[in-house]
Amino acid sequence: MIEEQVTLWQLEMKQKKCFGRTPDQIKAVRPLKDGVIADFTATQLMLKNIIEKVAKRYNIGRPRVVVGVPSGITEVEERAVEESVLQAGAKEVYLIEEPMAAAIGASLDVGEPSGSIIVDIGGGTTEVAVISLGGIVVSHSLRVAGDELDDDIVNYIKREMNLAIGETTAEQIKMQIGCAMPLMTETTLEVRGRDLSDGLPRNVTVTSTQIEEAIKESIQKIVEIVKITLEKTPPELASDIMEKGIVLAGGGALIKNLDKLLSMETGMPVYIAEDPLDCVVRGTGKTLEDLERLKRVLVNARNRR
């Protein structure tokens, strides 16, 4: 089941490449934005299609579904998620906070009486959480993550080079030469876009130093939310975290030198989880396979609220 979830996530990544490339009669939409539902109808149709495929493949009826949501989600947004999943054909729906799912997917000892901190930098949100005894002790959710970094790159190239590029191109730039601190050897990438002066296609060469400058402000916001979370962590757990270090998950964890920047700013060791892109989906799958652990996690989440 976990492999099925990862496959569906990979399919979503392929579909993202369609943005800006569709003919007039086809419209590419994003059902989810900033970690929550942006288009209720599209989300419901997407979930219905996914649930039908899974039910057919595994020959099951209406399945139980676990959905990862941002820790800062509102009650209205929670109800929208639950309603969408139930109407799409689920028998039961459970919501698990994404930082908890990421920690489980990163194989952290979330049930132990010692503190661990996870920083999950996804597409729409950055989730930072201190976890102990199967629950979240302190958490913060910031709506600055991968999508915001893409926007920063689009705006920078438009402002500094008078060139219009799309989100897909910006994401490729971010993945290939994006960095949070200067690299040992500066890297470059040739980018194609539309010249804003005459409307004609034009090539430009961008450097890792320029992209570092473009995303600097958003990266600093992520660093600050990590520091704020550490400041609010109980002293006993803070000592555990000092020993264990900070774990990065999500696609944003792959930005070059982000781990070094966080380590320099916090004075703590920082590690990138194995397969950081898959941590949340794998953690969600593991909780679905262990409903008792999931129920304990949900109880802890309700008590914290």
Side-chain angles (χ1 to χ4, degrees):
M1 184 68 76
I2 295 176
E3 294 304 320
E4 181 76 6
Q5 293 166 312
V6 174
T7 301
L8 291 169
W9 177 85
Q10 291 169 341
L11 177 61
E12 179 189 351
M13 293 297 101
K14 291 179 181 178
Q15 291 171 335
K16 284 185 70 176
K17 296 179 182 179
C18 294
F19 286 104
R21 299 177 182 271
T22 57
D24 291 341
Q25 65 270 26
I26 298 175
K27 182 181 178 182
V29 298
R30 296 189 63 176
L32 305 176
K33 183 74 173 175
D34 295 333
V36 295
I37 293 175
D39 187 324
F40 186 89
T41 302
T43 300
Q44 187 177 325
L45 290 172
M46 178 185 70
L47 290 172
K48 184 178 180 180
N49 182 263
I50 291 172
I51 289 173
E52 285 177 353
K53 284 184 177 180
V54 172
K56 182 177 180 181
R57 176 169 177 174
Y58 293 98
N59 194 27
I60 57 177
R62 300 180 65 186
R64 296 187 181 94
V65 178
V66 180
V67 182
V69 296
S71 58
I73 194 172
T74 66
E75 290 185 8
V76 173
E77 291 167 337
E78 277 190 2
R79 286 197 295 271
V81 174
E82 291 175 346
E83 188 68 19
S84 292
V85 179
L86 289 172
Q87 289 189 16
K91 178 174 65 176
E92 298 175 18
V93 56
Y94 303 95
L95 304 186
I96 181 172
E97 292 170 304
E98 286 178 353
M100 175 61 78
I104 294 171
S107 300
L108 299 184
D109 295 326
V110 296
E112 297 298 316
S114 61
S116 301
I117 185 168
I118 185 85
V119 180
D120 174 33
I121 308 171
T125 61
T126 294
E127 308 285 330
V128 187
V130 176
I131 297 170
S132 178
L133 288 172
I136 294 177
V137 180
V138 183
S139 71
H140 286 93
S141 180
L142 177 70
R143 293 196 176 182
V144 174
D147 293 342
E148 188 75 16
L149 299 180
D150 294 343
D151 291 342
D152 290 341
I153 294 170
V154 169
N155 294 331
Y156 180 88
I157 291 180
K158 182 179 180 180
R159 183 177 66 250
E160 299 295 329
M161 301 179 182
N162 204 35
L163 192 75
I165 63 171
E167 292 180 10
T168 303
T169 301
E171 187 172 33
Q172 291 172 349
I173 295 170
K174 177 186 67 180
M175 291 190 296
Q176 292 185 40
I177 64 172
C179 58
M181 289 178 62
L183 302 175
M184 293 285 290
T185 303
E186 186 175 66
T187 57
T188 62
L189 183 67
E190 188 172 330
V191 177
R192 295 177 181 175
R194 177 170 53 84
D195 194 306
L196 293 173
S197 300
D198 55 22
L200 297 177
R202 178 163 64 92
N203 291 358
V204 298
T205 299
V206 295
T207 67
S208 56
T209 301
Q210 289 173 318
I211 302 306
E212 178 201 349
E213 180 65 26
I215 65 176
K216 184 176 182 180
E217 186 175 337
S218 293
I219 290 293
Q220 195 56 44
K221 290 178 182 178
I222 293 172
V223 171
E224 287 301 317
I225 203 68
V226 174
K227 292 166 73 173
I228 289 171
T229 305
L230 288 170
E231 288 171 4
K232 296 187 177 181
T233 301
E236 291 298 328
L237 296 180
S239 63
D240 295 334
I241 293 169
M242 178 65 76
E243 181 180 347
K244 292 181 178 180
I246 300 169
V247 177
L248 296 181
L254 298 176
I255 294 174
K256 299 176 184 66
N257 284 347
L258 179 58
D259 54 339
K260 293 180 181 178
L261 177 62
L262 274 172
S263 181
M264 185 177 70
E265 291 282 347
T266 62
M268 296 182 180
V270 178
Y271 308 99
I272 299 174
E274 185 178 354
D275 297 325
L277 284 165
D278 300 343
C279 281
V280 171
V281 70
R282 291 187 182 278
T284 305
K286 288 179 180 178
T287 58
L288 186 58
E289 293 171 356
D290 186 352
L291 283 179
E292 287 304 314
R293 175 163 66 174
L294 175 60
K295 290 175 181 177
R296 290 196 299 271
V297 168
L298 296 178
V299 168
N300 287 331
R302 283 195 294 269
N303 291 340
R304 186 166 58 87
R305 293 179 182 179

